[in-house]
Coordinates of all heavy atoms in Angstrom, one line a residue:
L143 N 0.8 -1.2 0.0 CA 0.0 0.0 0.0 C 0.8 1.2 0.0 O 0.5 2.3 -0.6 CB -0.9 0.0 1.2 CG -1.9 1.2 1.4 CD1 -2.8 1.3 0.3 CD2 -2.6 1.2 2.8
I144 N 2.0 1.3 0.6 CA 2.8 2.5 0.9 C 4.0 2.6 -0.2 O 4.9 3.3 0.1 CB 3.3 2.5 2.3 CG1 3.9 1.2 2.7 CG2 2.1 2.8 3.2 CD1 5.4 1.0 2.4
E145 N 4.0 1.8 -1.3 CA 5.0 1.9 -2.2 C 5.2 3.4 -2.7 O 4.2 4.0 -3.1 CB 4.6 1.0 -3.5 CG 5.8 0.7 -4.4 CD 6.0 1.7 -5.5 OE1 5.0 2.3 -5.9 OE2 7.1 1.8 -6.0
P146 N 6.4 3.9 -2.5 CA 6.6 5.3 -2.7 C 6.4 5.9 -4.0 O 5.9 7.0 -4.1 CB 8.1 5.5 -2.2 CG 8.8 4.2 -2.4 CD 7.7 3.1 -2.1
M147 N 6.7 5.2 -5.1 CA 6.6 5.8 -6.5 C 5.2 6.0 -7.1 O 5.0 6.8 -7.9 CB 7.4 4.9 -7.5 CG 8.9 5.0 -7.2 SD 9.6 6.6 -7.6 CE 9.5 6.8 -9.4
T148 N 4.2 5.2 -6.5 CA 2.9 5.2 -7.0 C 1.9 5.7 -6.0 O 0.7 5.5 -6.2 CB 2.4 3.8 -7.4 OG1 2.6 2.9 -6.3 CG2 3.3 3.3 -8.6
T149 N 2.4 6.4 -5.0 CA 1.5 7.1 -4.0 C 1.9 8.5 -3.8 O 3.0 8.9 -4.2 CB 1.7 6.3 -2.5 OG1 3.1 6.4 -2.2 CG2 1.2 4.9 -2.5
P150 N 0.9 9.3 -3.4 CA 1.1 10.8 -3.3 C 2.3 11.2 -2.4 O 2.6 10.5 -1.4 CB -0.2 11.3 -2.8 CG -1.2 10.2 -3.1 CD -0.4 8.9 -3.0
A151 N 2.7 12.4 -2.6 CA 3.8 12.9 -1.7 C 3.4 13.9 -0.7 O 3.9 14.0 0.3 CB 4.9 13.6 -2.6
A152 N 2.3 14.8 -1.0 CA 1.9 15.8 -0.1 C 1.0 15.2 1.1 O 0.3 14.2 0.9 CB 1.0 16.8 -0.8
Y153 N 1.0 15.9 2.2 CA 0.4 15.4 3.5 C -1.1 15.0 3.2 O -1.5 13.9 3.5 CB 0.5 16.5 4.5 CG -0.2 16.1 5.8 CD1 0.5 15.4 6.8 CD2 -1.5 16.5 6.0 CE1 -0.1 15.0 7.9 CE2 -2.1 16.1 7.2 CZ -1.5 15.4 8.2 OH -2.0 15.0 9.4
Y154 N -1.9 16.0 2.8 CA -3.3 15.7 2.7 C -3.6 14.7 1.6 O -4.6 14.0 1.6 CB -4.2 17.0 2.5 CG -4.2 17.8 3.8 CD1 -3.5 19.0 3.9 CD2 -4.9 17.3 4.9 CE1 -3.5 19.9 5.1 CE2 -5.0 18.1 6.1 CZ -4.3 19.2 6.2 OH -4.3 20.0 7.3
S155 N -2.8 14.7 0.6 CA -3.0 13.8 -0.6 C -2.7 12.3 -0.1 O -3.5 11.4 -0.5 CB -2.0 14.1 -1.7 OG -2.3 15.4 -2.3
K156 N -1.7 12.2 0.8 CA -1.5 10.9 1.4 C -2.7 10.5 2.2 O -3.0 9.2 2.3 CB -0.2 10.9 2.2 CG 1.1 10.9 1.3 CD 2.4 10.8 2.1 CE 2.7 12.1 2.7 NZ 4.0 12.0 3.4
V157 N -3.2 11.4 2.9 CA -4.4 11.1 3.9 C -5.6 10.6 3.0 O -6.2 9.6 3.3 CB -4.8 12.3 4.7 CG1 -6.2 12.0 5.3 CG2 -3.7 12.7 5.7
I158 N -5.8 11.3 1.9 CA -6.9 10.9 1.0 C -6.7 9.6 0.4 O -7.5 8.8 0.2 CB -7.0 12.0 -0.1 CG1 -7.6 13.3 0.5 CG2 -8.1 11.5 -1.2 CD1 -7.5 14.5 -0.5
F159 N -5.4 9.3 0.0 CA -5.1 8.1 -0.6 C -5.3 6.9 0.3 O -6.0 5.9 0.0 CB -3.5 8.1 -1.0 CG -3.1 6.8 -1.8 CD1 -3.1 6.9 -3.1 CD2 -2.7 5.7 -1.1 CE1 -2.7 5.7 -3.9 CE2 -2.3 4.6 -1.8 CZ -2.3 4.6 -3.2
G160 N -4.8 7.0 1.6 CA -5.0 5.9 2.5 C -6.4 5.7 2.9 O -6.9 4.6 3.0
A161 N -7.2 6.8 3.2 CA -8.6 6.6 3.6 C -9.4 6.1 2.4 O -10.3 5.3 2.6 CB -9.1 8.1 4.0
G162 N -9.1 6.6 1.2 CA -9.8 6.1 0.0 C -9.5 4.7 -0.2 O -10.5 3.9 -0.6
A163 N -8.3 4.2 0.0 CA -8.0 2.7 -0.1 C -8.8 1.9 0.8 O -9.4 0.9 0.4 CB -6.5 2.5 0.0
G164 N -8.9 2.4 2.1 CA -9.6 1.7 3.1 C -11.1 1.6 2.8 O -11.7 0.5 2.9
A165 N -11.7 2.7 2.3 CA -13.1 2.7 2.0 C -13.4 1.9 0.8 O -14.4 1.1 0.7 CB -13.5 4.2 1.7
L166 N -12.5 2.0 -0.3 CA -12.8 1.2 -1.4 C -12.7 -0.3 -1.2 O -13.5 -1.1 -1.8 CB -11.9 1.6 -2.5 CG -12.1 1.0 -3.9 CD1 -13.5 1.3 -4.4 CD2 -11.2 1.7 -5.0
I167 N -11.8 -0.7 -0.4 CA -11.6 -2.1 0.0 C -12.8 -2.7 0.6 O -13.3 -3.8 0.3 CB -10.3 -2.4 0.8 CG1 -9.1 -2.2 -0.1 CG2 -10.4 -3.8 1.4 CD1 -7.8 -2.2 0.7
F168 N -13.4 -1.8 1.5 CA -14.6 -2.2 2.3 C -15.8 -2.4 1.3 O -16.4 -3.3 1.5 CB -14.9 -1.1 3.3 CG -16.2 -1.3 4.0 CD1 -16.3 -2.3 5.1 CD2 -17.4 -0.7 3.7 CE1 -17.5 -2.5 5.7 CE2 -18.5 -0.8 4.3 CZ -18.6 -1.8 5.3
I169 N -15.9 -1.4 0.3 CA -17.0 -1.5 -0.6 C -16.8 -2.7 -1.5 O -17.9 -3.5 -1.8 CB -17.1 -0.3 -1.5 CG1 -17.4 1.0 -0.6 CG2 -18.0 -0.4 -2.6 CD1 -17.3 2.3 -1.3
L170 N -15.6 -3.0 -1.9 CA -15.4 -4.1 -2.8 C -15.6 -5.5 -2.1 O -16.1 -6.4 -2.7 CB -13.9 -4.1 -3.4 CG -13.6 -2.8 -4.4 CD1 -12.1 -2.8 -4.7 CD2 -14.5 -3.0 -5.6
Y171 N -15.3 -5.5 -0.9 CA -15.6 -6.7 -0.1 C -17.1 -6.9 0.0 O -17.6 -8.1 -0.1 CB -14.9 -6.7 1.3 CG -13.5 -7.3 1.4 CD1 -12.4 -6.5 1.9 CD2 -13.3 -8.6 1.0 CE1 -11.2 -7.0 1.9 CE2 -12.0 -9.1 1.1 CZ -11.0 -8.4 1.6 OH -9.7 -8.9 1.6
L172 N -17.8 -5.9 0.3 CA -19.2 -5.9 0.4 C -19.9 -6.5 -0.9 O -20.9 -7.2 -0.8 CB -19.9 -4.6 0.7 CG -19.8 -4.1 2.1 CD1 -20.5 -2.7 2.3 CD2 -20.4 -5.1 3.1
I173 N -19.5 -6.1 -2.0 CA -20.1 -6.6 -3.3 C -19.4 -7.8 -3.8 O -19.7 -8.2 -4.9 CB -20.0 -5.5 -4.3 CG1 -18.7 -5.0 -4.7 CG2 -20.8 -4.3 -3.7 CD1 -18.6 -3.9 -5.8
G174 N -18.4 -8.4 -3.1 CA -17.9 -9.6 -3.5 C -16.8 -9.6 -4.6 O -16.7 -10.6 -5.3
V175 N -16.0 -8.5 -4.7 CA -15.0 -8.4 -5.8 C -13.8 -9.2 -5.3 O -13.3 -9.1 -4.2 CB -14.7 -6.9 -6.1 CG1 -13.5 -6.8 -6.9 CG2 -15.8 -6.2 -6.6

């Protein structure tokens, strides 16, 4: 998840990235992806 080259560099961008990943994984699990 934290691979440096493909993740954002700025503070709030990293917050959005991490929270977005957690939320999307939850949704994908719910729909059985």
Side-chain angles (χ1 to χ4, degrees):
L143 179 65
I144 47 85
E145 196 271 332
M147 291 295 290
T148 56
T149 53
Y153 177 86
Y154 288 111
S155 295
K156 288 185 282 188
V157 171
I158 294 170
F159 186 95
L166 185 54
I167 287 171
F168 175 77
I169 294 170
L170 294 174
Y171 269 124
L172 280 183
I173 61 178
V175 173

